[in-house]
Amino acid sequence: MEIIQAYGPYLLMMAAVFGLYMAWGIGANDVANAMGTSVGTKSLTIKQAIIIAMVFEFAGAYLAGGEVTDTVRKGIVDLAVFKDNNRPDALAFGMISALLAAGTWLMIASIFGWPVSTTHSIVGAIVGFALVSVGPEAVQWGKAGGIVGSWVITPILSGLIAYITFMSIQKLIFDTKDPLANAKRYVPFYMALTTFVIAMVTIKKGLKHVGLHLTTTEGIIASAAISLLVAIAGAVYISRQKYSPSDDKDMHFSNVEKVFGILMIITACAMAFAHGSNDVANAIGPLAAVVSIVEHGGEIAEKAEITWWILPLGGLGIVVGLATMGHKVMSTVGTGITELTPSRGFAAQLATATTVVIASGSGLPISTTQTLVGGVLGVGMARGIAALNLNVVRTIVVSWIVTLPAGAILSIIFYKILEAIFVV
């Protein structure tokens, strides 16, 4: 407790800087991954993707980003163990180390273009410092076990949904006598389906933060109403677009893909909002823990208020990370795994959003990165295994397995350095 009182302002400053660094890593890796399909299908340019992400990720982080922060702050470690051992300093040093460790791992992964999980990076880092500071009893192992299980379950589930969605598009639109007419007929239905799922993600993930407390039934009714409006607006917009048969001479189904391109833009905006509301917690959760300990003079509070500057700091870091280093991960997801068209990219995005909703309902901690990559793999599999670049897939899977221990080892190193500096 004396250490916190003596060095509180320094610890606060370090936590803010490393929290910004971690948020930058989320933007460079995780957000780039979420935008990868839209850029890969050429529905959006990199510049447009960055602008959409800037607006919707920041809005999601700022308006609805506080809800899941507590899970990161106290869901992985048992705060009572730190209290019983009178080690608030260990918790503060540990959370700072975790931010630096996860941010560093995301930087390495982004340089190589590996789409890794920011959730797993921070969870690995938190587990790492908890083990060396207080001991294994400080880790809530049930959560860690759920995460290991999600490595397998979520990509498979997302891949399966993407496969089924794309096969339905194939049957209803591409394999018919008049694909363009059927695209105009069925795409509004897919718009409604997408909007419903995304609206449910947003409602479940964080709207409580802005004072809207909807029950599941109210959420379903609100989502259905929004979906209907979007489908009507979409149908009107699609009917007014100009489609030239000559475009199909250069690229088969060019006009049909143009219809799906509109859908991809809607999905990109909505996914960016949902993603910002969820994954900003990975950066601000540990930061909020340090701020709470310092502001309470070394006491570990069960509930921590999120200080006003924390959410904008997280939103800013995410946007800067995407703009400065997001292009490599976008390229891996958008073009490296398999060839994506707007219709295939849409199937992958819808599968990702649906899996997030299912996982949220069951309480399973998941990675949006792994879910989306699973969706892209599912779409690729619809054309046969030869359509996948297996070298890229192998590299991605290895980077997923390495992420948790890498976060833990880096966190232990940084924790020991901080302990050597501040604890005499």
Side-chain angles (χ1 to χ4, degrees):
M1 198 166 281
E2 293 78 22
I3 294 171
I4 298 291
Q5 285 161 358
Y7 299 108
Y10 298 105
L11 297 176
L12 209 58
M13 203 159 35
M14 286 172 75
V17 171
F18 296 146
L20 185 67
Y21 179 55
M22 169 65 182
W24 170 88
I26 294 173
N29 200 294
D30 219 23
V31 180
N33 163 55
M35 286 286 147
T37 44
S38 303
V39 174
T41 59
K42 296 188 172 57
S43 303
L44 294 171
T45 63
I46 290 184
K47 207 173 177 180
Q48 288 168 334
I50 289 171
I51 293 168
I52 285 179
M54 279 172 70
V55 175
F56 288 91
E57 285 276 347
F58 191 85
Y62 187 68
L63 294 175
E67 187 63 22
V68 288
T69 305
D70 261 3
T71 309
V72 178
R73 191 180 72 89
K74 62 181 184 183
I76 303 150
V77 290
D78 189 349
L79 296 184
V81 177
F82 286 87
K83 264 187 193 174
D84 294 345
N85 286 277
N86 195 24
R87 293 298 310 275
D89 55 320
L91 188 59
F93 294 155
M95 288 297 184
I96 293 171
S97 310
L99 287 171
L100 183 56
T104 303
W105 174 244
L106 289 175
M107 183 182 192
I108 295 168
S110 301
I111 289 171
F112 286 100
W114 302 333
V116 297
S117 163
T118 54
T119 307
H120 295 179
S121 307
I122 196 72
V123 168
I126 291 175
V127 169
F129 90 75
L131 283 175
V132 295
S133 61
V134 177
E137 68 274 19
V139 180
Q140 307 214 35
W141 291 106
K143 288 266 182 189
I147 287 166
V148 173
S150 78
W151 286 349
V152 180
I153 296 166
T154 49
I156 290 176
L157 181 61
S158 178
L160 193 65
I161 296 171
Y163 179 87
I164 293 168
T165 305
F166 185 69
M167 292 310 284
S168 78
I169 293 170
Q170 190 85 32
K171 196 171 171 52
L172 291 171
I173 297 172
F174 288 110
D175 292 345
T176 58
K177 282 184 183 168
D178 192 347
L180 181 58
N182 284 320
K184 289 179 184 174
R185 183 177 302 139
Y186 291 115
V187 165
F189 166 75
Y190 285 112
M191 278 182 172
L193 191 63
T194 309
T195 309
F196 181 81
V197 173
I198 297 290
M200 283 300 289
V201 172
T202 308
I203 289 167
K204 282 191 83 67
K205 283 286 178 184
L207 277 189
K208 285 175 193 166
H209 179 67
V210 289
L212 280 174
H213 298 271
L214 298 181
T215 63
T216 303
T217 311
E218 287 169 342
I220 290 171
I221 293 169
S223 301
I226 297 167
S227 311
L228 187 62
L229 288 176
V230 170
I232 293 168
V236 172
Y237 183 81
I238 289 168
S239 68
R240 289 182 180 174
Q241 289 293 296
K242 288 184 180 167
Y243 303 96
S244 170
S246 62
D247 291 348
D248 288 337
K249 286 177 188 164
D250 300 327
M251 188 190 136
H252 210 33
F253 298 126
S254 181
N255 283 306
V256 176
E257 294 295 355
K258 193 175 169 185
V259 180
F260 276 98
I262 301 161
L263 193 52
M264 282 296 291
I265 295 169
I266 294 172
T267 335
C269 297
M271 277 302 291
F273 184 89
H275 182 271
S277 69
N278 185 42
D279 283 38
V280 74
N282 290 330
I284 66 169
L287 174 56
V290 178
V291 171
S292 171
I293 293 167
V294 172
E295 283 183 347
H296 288 86
E299 214 172 283
I300 300 172
E302 196 51 42
K303 248 190 115 50
E305 292 296 321
I306 298 173
T307 312
W308 67 269
W309 53 267
I310 291 182
L311 277 171
L313 186 85
L316 178 72
I318 282 180
V319 169
V320 173
L322 176 68
T324 53
M325 283 195 70
H327 58 281
K328 282 200 175 177
V329 173
M330 275 193 210
S331 169
T332 303
V333 175
T335 57
I337 300 170
T338 188
E339 188 194 348
L340 287 178
T341 58
S343 55
R344 293 176 197 147
F346 156 71
Q349 290 266 41
L350 179 63
T352 305
T354 307
T355 309
V356 169
V357 169
I358 294 170
S360 299
S362 63
L364 187 72
I366 66 159
S367 154
T368 45
T369 303
Q370 293 183 348
T371 312
L372 184 56
V373 170
V376 173
L377 286 173
V379 166
M381 282 298 286
R383 293 188 300 140
I385 199 157
L388 299 175
N389 185 336
L390 294 179
N391 284 333
V392 174
V393 174
R394 198 178 303 118
T395 307
I396 290 173
V397 171
V398 170
S399 71
W400 288 356
I401 295 168
V402 171
T403 293
L404 206 65
I409 292 166
L410 285 170
S411 176
I412 290 169
I413 294 169
F414 294 138
Y415 178 83
K416 288 294 178 189
I417 292 172
L418 282 179
E419 209 176 40
I421 294 170
F422 289 100
V423 182
V424 182

